[in-house]
Amino acid sequence: MCRVVDLHQAVLVKNDERAGALRTELAARGTTVVNLLSSPGSGKTALLEAELALAASRGVPVAALTADLATEHDAERLARAGVPVKQVLTDGLCHMEADMLRAQLDGWLPDGTRLLFVENVGNLVCPASYDLGESLRVVLASVTEGEDKPLKYPTAFGLAHLVVVTKDDIAEAAGFDEDAFRANVRQVNPGVEVAVTSARRGTGVGLVLERALAVAAGGAVHRPVMARNGSDGVGDSVAGGGTGVEPGGVDDAMAGGVPVRGRS
């Protein structure tokens, strides 16, 4: 058992090293990576599609890479935004690693790409421990998943720089208790911003883009307690990214531009 744990830790340390190198390389090219994590069916693809379309309409050079176990459906949806999109099939692997992302970029990622959105494989367990070289990690949960999701998946929510609630248009029908959800987020990641969105109604659409652009411009990003403590071995590299990192600083640094319903 100990050998298995040691091997896993070694894999994570190696991944962290590769992620740090990739973050530095992409920063030199002027590209910031945004890593999106959620459970299947959270509405992540719908929100990302809307964010990409908004970026395209504003002339922001963005690209998206989407990872899936077996299908290319998400890439086909995201491509409707008219921006460069690439599908990665993991053939059953439940997460992406920094080397996997790095291998996809040569010959595909256009020069001058300001933001690269990575739609990770749909689950909140495996991807949570793997830094992809991102500077902004966004964890999403829909109103249908229950208010205790952050407590069930403390690593995913505990290492988030931004938490996004999706499908707010059906919150009442689902009986979603937003206050309880926010309280649970605070238990695992105090100070992180929680935004409520609905891709269908357009509520909060543009918030992720605004936050990503702010980080790309060198703005402060929330630094989770779990990352400061380094309790899972990946926090330091996940939370860095060469930006001015301050606890809870995202609220002050990135408050403008997008209608947001409430804060943590």
Side-chain angles (χ1 to χ4, degrees), residues 28-153:
R29 296 171 59 178
T31 301
T32 295
V33 175
V34 180
N35 187 6
L36 304 173
L37 284 72
S38 78
S39 299
S42 69
K44 180 176 57 194
T45 305
L47 183 62
L48 179 55
E49 183 179 356
E51 298 283 350
L52 294 177
L54 182 61
S57 70
R58 293 179 179 178
V60 179
V62 300
L65 188 148
T66 181
D68 197 281
L69 296 175
T71 77
E72 298 184 358
H73 295 166
D74 290 347
E76 293 169 358
R77 292 175 57 186
L78 296 178
R80 295 186 299 206
V83 304
V85 174
K86 188 170 187 178
Q87 179 76 58
V88 178
L89 296 179
T90 62
D91 294 326
L93 187 64
C94 63
H95 64 272
M96 286 195 67
E97 299 179 9
D99 276 351
M100 295 171 62
L101 175 60
R102 179 67 188 83
Q104 301 298 324
L105 302 183
D106 285 340
W108 170 72
L109 186 67
D111 292 338
T113 299
R114 186 65 169 149
L115 300 175
L116 171 60
F117 291 91
V118 178
E119 183 181 17
N120 217 315
V121 179
N123 76 77
L124 288 173
V125 180
C126 306
S129 297
Y130 287 86
D131 182 3
L132 299 183
E134 71 263 29
S135 294
L136 182 67
R137 175 177 286 207
V138 183
V139 176
L140 305 93
S142 76
V143 297
T144 59
E145 296 178 56
E147 298 82 6
D148 59 350
K149 201 84 174 188
L151 303 182
K152 290 182 176 178
Y153 301 93

Side-chain angles (χ1 to χ4, degrees), residues 130-218:
Y130 287 86
D131 182 3
L132 299 183
E134 71 263 29
S135 294
L136 182 67
R137 175 177 286 207
V138 183
V139 176
L140 305 93
S142 76
V143 297
T144 59
E145 296 178 56
E147 298 82 6
D148 59 350
K149 201 84 174 188
L151 303 182
K152 290 182 176 178
Y153 301 93
T155 301
F157 285 89
L159 288 171
H161 299 138
L162 171 65
V163 174
V164 174
V165 177
T166 60
K167 303 183 182 181
D168 184 53
D169 51 292
I170 58 172
E172 183 175 352
F176 179 66
D177 186 337
E178 183 180 327
D179 290 339
F181 180 85
R182 289 177 178 276
N184 290 333
V185 171
R186 282 195 294 272
Q187 288 193 47
V188 299
N189 194 348
V192 70
E193 181 181 10
V194 179
V196 178
T197 68
S198 166
R200 178 176 295 175
R201 291 181 176 170
T203 305
V205 170
L207 180 139
V208 173
L209 177 62
E210 294 290 345
R211 300 301 186 262
L213 287 172
V215 172

